[in-house]
């Protein structure tokens, strides 16, 4: 079945460091890919998305590129801030067919120290 | 634009009791989803509605769980005879189902259930 694998955390960085969180997926077909962020005690917020190969999603300084050849959607940010501390989830969904649910990775906890 | 809302935010109950959660989706969204999230894990799909029709149910949704969306607007998720293993965050999401970005789901804040 479809699955998403994220790099294991927790990840701890100093402020202004470069961030990469790896995400790879296994799916039959070409899903849409998402990154969601969850702050402590809150629900998930959509961070960015990409719907087809080579698309780049970006938001709030975060970027991720849909790489079909490596089935990856790695999240990057050039300079993290303390306020970026949260759990980050990679997810996929198919826009056609009967399946409508998001399939999530297990999440990566990010802590940014001042 | 009012986001997805859920009520209550927290619920503590004793084993064997019934609980009901409510979700109000974004008003123009015709698709509504329930997920369950346990500590340290990503959300897992439970069920999905398009308007008032429940179109998909996960095998995680045992017969103690029932979800409704009677008028295609808000939805309720009921758990009967709660067990300690039901303790989790229950998340609701909605999407428009349109061709442009229709598969983007927007999540509510969740209801955290603790079964004692």
């Amino acid at each position: 079945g479809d699955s998403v694998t994220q790099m294991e955390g927790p990840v701890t960085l100093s402020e202004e460091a470069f961030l990469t969180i790896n995400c790879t997926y296994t799916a039959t077909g070409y899903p849409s890919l998402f990154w969601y962020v969850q702050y402590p005690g809150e629900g998930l917020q959509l961070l960015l998305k990409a719907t087809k190969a080579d698309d780049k999603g970006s938001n709030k300084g975060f970027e991720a590129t849909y790489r079909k050849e490596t089935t990856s959607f790695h999240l990057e940010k050039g300079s993290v801030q303390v306020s970026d501390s949260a759990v980050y989830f990679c997810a996929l969904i198919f826009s056609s067919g009967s399946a409508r649910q998001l399939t999530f990775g297990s999440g990566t906890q990010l802590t940014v120290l001042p | 634009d009012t986001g997805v809302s859920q009520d209550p935010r927290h619920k503590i109950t004793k084993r064997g009791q019934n609980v009901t959660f409510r979700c109000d989706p974004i008003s123009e969204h015709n698709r509504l989803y329930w997920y369950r999230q346990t500590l340290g894990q990503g959300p897992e799909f439970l069920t999905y509605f398009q308007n008032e029709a429940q179109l998909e149910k996960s095998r995680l949704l045992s017969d103690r769980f029932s979800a409704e969306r009677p008028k295609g607007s808000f939805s309720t998720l009921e758990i009967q005879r709660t067990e300690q293993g039901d303790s989790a965050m229950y998340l609701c999401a909605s999407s428009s189902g349109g061709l442009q970005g229709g598969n983007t789901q927007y999540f509510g804040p969740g209801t955290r259930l603790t079964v004692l």
Side-chain angles (χ1 to χ4, degrees):
Chain A
D2 304 331
S3 65
V4 176
T5 303
Q6 287 182 235
M7 65 183 285
E8 293 189 10
V11 174
T12 302
L13 296 173
S14 298
E15 204 165 25
E16 300 183 2
F18 184 85
L19 169 71
T20 300
I21 301 178
N22 290 340
C23 170
T24 57
Y25 67 90
T26 301
T28 52
Y30 303 106
S32 296
L33 301 172
F34 301 82
W35 278 99
Y36 282 87
V37 58
Q38 187 172 37
Y39 297 99
E42 297 185 13
L44 278 74
Q45 297 178 24
L46 177 67
L47 182 58
L48 54 84
K49 68 178 184 180
T51 57
K52 61 183 186 298
D54 300 324
D55 268 2
K56 178 185 281 187
S58 61
N59 185 27
K60 300 181 181 179
F62 291 90
E63 293 183 341
T65 302
Y66 189 161
R67 302 287 188 199
K68 185 176 70 173
E69 62 277 9
T70 54
T71 61
S72 65
F73 193 54
H74 305 321
L75 182 67
E76 297 183 335
K77 187 175 186 182
S79 176
V80 293
Q81 306 300 312
V82 172
S83 58
D84 294 327
S85 298
V87 182
Y88 292 80
F89 292 94
C90 185
L92 66 81
I93 195 170
F94 286 95
S95 57
S96 60
S98 62
R100 289 285 182 264
Q101 68 266 29
L102 284 161
T103 299
F104 286 88
S106 57
T108 302
Q109 171 81 54
L110 170 66
T111 301
V112 180
L113 302 176
Chain B
D1 178 26
T2 304
V4 178
S5 61
Q6 292 185 246
D7 184 69
R9 294 289 305 274
H10 303 273
K11 179 70 177 178
I12 300 173
T13 191
K14 293 182 179 179
R15 186 163 50 98
Q17 298 295 305
N18 298 345
V19 294
T20 300
F21 310 140
R22 176 179 170 126
C23 170
D24 287 89
I26 293 171
S27 58
E28 63 269 25
H29 286 181
N30 62 358
R31 293 180 179 171
L32 186 147
Y33 312 79
W34 287 98
Y35 291 82
R36 181 171 68 187
Q37 185 181 20
T38 53
L39 201 61
Q41 298 299 315
E44 295 175 295
F45 171 77
L46 292 178
T47 190
Y48 150 62
F49 289 85
Q50 180 153 321
N51 299 312
E52 65 274 11
Q54 188 173 18
L55 296 185
E56 207 168 330
K57 291 196 288 186
S58 162
R59 61 179 180 274
L60 291 176
L61 211 66
S62 77
D63 56 7
R64 295 185 297 106
F65 287 69
S66 62
E68 294 182 344
R69 193 182 184 198
K71 296 182 180 179
S73 57
F74 72 92
S75 174
T76 57
L77 178 67
E78 181 183 17
I79 308 174
Q80 297 182 326
R81 305 180 303 281
T82 53
E83 301 173 356
Q84 288 184 325
D86 296 331
S87 296
M89 175 80 89
Y90 290 85
L91 295 167
C92 177
S94 69
S95 70
S96 65
L99 291 175
Q100 290 294 327
N103 60 5
T104 300
Q105 296 180 22
Y106 297 90
F107 284 80
T111 295
R112 180 166 296 285
L113 173 66
T114 302
V115 181
L116 301 176

